[in-house]
């Protein structure tokens, strides 16, 4: 739908958004392509390629339209990348609908977060810091372990245990290459979208 660098380029309030958060090169764009089964997002073997917020409007039964948001990655070799990510993320996540005081204007944008982690690198400080950052702001991310095809059967069981220990929640293993876990992830996303729309009062009679 659009690419942008600032808050003004983000989608209009009111429509649920599912955003991809993760280090550069972890497979966020490949995940989006795998989910919508169409090469809409540019993938790259060179880390740090997505410097923009890319927004995709998804229309699929049984949900109403929602947005998939490909956020720039963090933890890329450049030192400023972390600060850049935080500046952008602060603007982006401030748009979410969350419990507020009655005197505040309520902006109805439910935001769900997919935190993408590389199966081969459990426990990277940048990932743990990002999970803390999100939880501090009341975002409970769905943890998605990417590139699971890169691990052997033995390695994967160990890695998934480790991720679950580190993040204190179940994780979902996926591969954009083999398609493993993608249906399951899609189902969880759709049911999140349905639940956000069901819990809100209808905007029109
Ligand atoms: N083997 C494997 N490679 C993947 C997978 N997902 C992404 N990649 C590769 O990893 C690189 C980075 O992917 P990309 O989606 O651009 O990462 P992003 O920076 O997080 O958006 C590309 O070369 C992809 O082809 C996966 O599930 N399995
Ligand atoms: Mg990308």
């Amino acid at each position: 739908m659009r690419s942008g660098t600032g808050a003004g380029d983000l989608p209009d309030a009111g429509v649920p958004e599912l955003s991809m958060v993760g280090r550069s090169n972890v497979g966020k764009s490949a995940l989006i392509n795998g989910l919508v089964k169409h090469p809409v997002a540019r993938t790259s073997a060179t880390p740090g390629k997505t410097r923009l917020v890319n927004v995709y409007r998804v229309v699929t039964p049984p949900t109403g339209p929602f947005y998939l948001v490909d956020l720039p990655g963090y933890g890329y070799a450049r030192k400023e990348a972390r600060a850049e990510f935080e500046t952008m993320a602060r603007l982006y996540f401030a748009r979410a609908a969350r419990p507020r005081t009655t005197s505040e204007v309520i902006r109805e944008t439910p935001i769900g977060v997919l935190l993408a982690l590389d199966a081969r690198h459990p426990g990277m400080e940048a990932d743990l810091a990002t999970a803390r950052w999100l939880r501090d702001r009341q975002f409970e991310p769905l943890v998605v372990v990417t590139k699971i095809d890169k691990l052997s059967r033995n390695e994967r069981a160990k890695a998934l245990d480790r991720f679950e220990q580190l993040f204190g929640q179940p994780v979902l293993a996926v591969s954009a290459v083999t398609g493993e876990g993608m249906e399951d992830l899609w189902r969880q996303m759709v049911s999140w979208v349905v639940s956000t729309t069901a819990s809100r009062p209808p905007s029109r009679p």
Side-chain angles (χ1 to χ4, degrees):
M1 199 192 118
R2 51 182 136 180
S3 281
T5 51
D9 300 308
L10 295 167
D12 302 329
V15 180
E17 296 173 23
L18 274 163
S19 58
M20 297 284 171
V21 173
R23 273 183 302 116
S24 297
N25 216 38
V26 71
K28 297 179 295 300
S29 300
L31 206 51
I32 287 177
N33 292 339
L35 288 164
V36 303
K37 299 189 172 122
H38 203 75
V40 289
R42 190 182 305 169
T43 63
S44 171
T46 320
K49 257 278 182 286
T50 311
R51 314 292 319 147
L52 299 169
V53 177
N54 291 301
V55 179
Y56 304 94
R57 186 166 181 271
V58 183
V59 184
T60 174
T63 72
F66 65 93
Y67 294 117
L68 262 181
V69 182
D70 198 3
L71 294 173
Y74 55 81
Y76 170 51
R78 296 189 319 118
K79 257 209 189 108
E80 323 84 84
R82 180 81 207 172
E84 269 174 35
F85 171 80
E86 289 212 7
T87 305
M88 181 278 310
R90 213 171 278 126
L91 285 171
Y92 174 77
F93 286 108
R95 299 158 52 257
R98 264 175 294 159
R100 300 186 184 240
T101 61
T102 46
S103 58
E104 274 181 287
V105 177
I106 296 167
R107 302 199 55 193
E108 299 261 346
T109 301
I111 298 184
V113 183
L114 305 183
L115 177 58
L117 307 170
D118 190 318
R120 297 164 298 177
H121 307 294
M124 292 199 65
E125 184 44 39
D127 291 333
L128 294 165
T130 302
R132 283 194 298 272
W133 191 94
L134 289 165
R135 286 177 179 150
D136 283 350
R137 287 158 182 80
Q138 273 77 56
F139 291 99
E140 274 307 318
L142 171 61
V143 178
V144 180
V145 173
T146 63
K147 308 192 185 183
I148 196 66
D149 58 282
K150 299 248 189 190
L151 299 188
S152 70
R153 194 177 283 269
N154 226 344
E155 291 170 326
R156 63 156 51 201
K158 243 187 257 166
L160 293 177
D161 276 354
R162 184 95 185 96
F163 278 114
E164 296 197 341
Q165 261 173 29
L166 287 162
F167 291 87
Q169 66 182 94
V171 302
L172 191 59
V174 300
S175 166
V177 169
T178 65
E180 178 179 347
M182 299 294 277
E183 289 290 330
D184 202 2
L185 175 57
W186 182 250
R187 263 196 301 277
Q188 293 198 38
M189 292 165 61
V190 163
S191 82
W192 177 83
V193 173
V194 169
S195 76
T196 60
T197 23
S199 65
R200 288 186 300 154
S203 54
R204 264 176 239 169

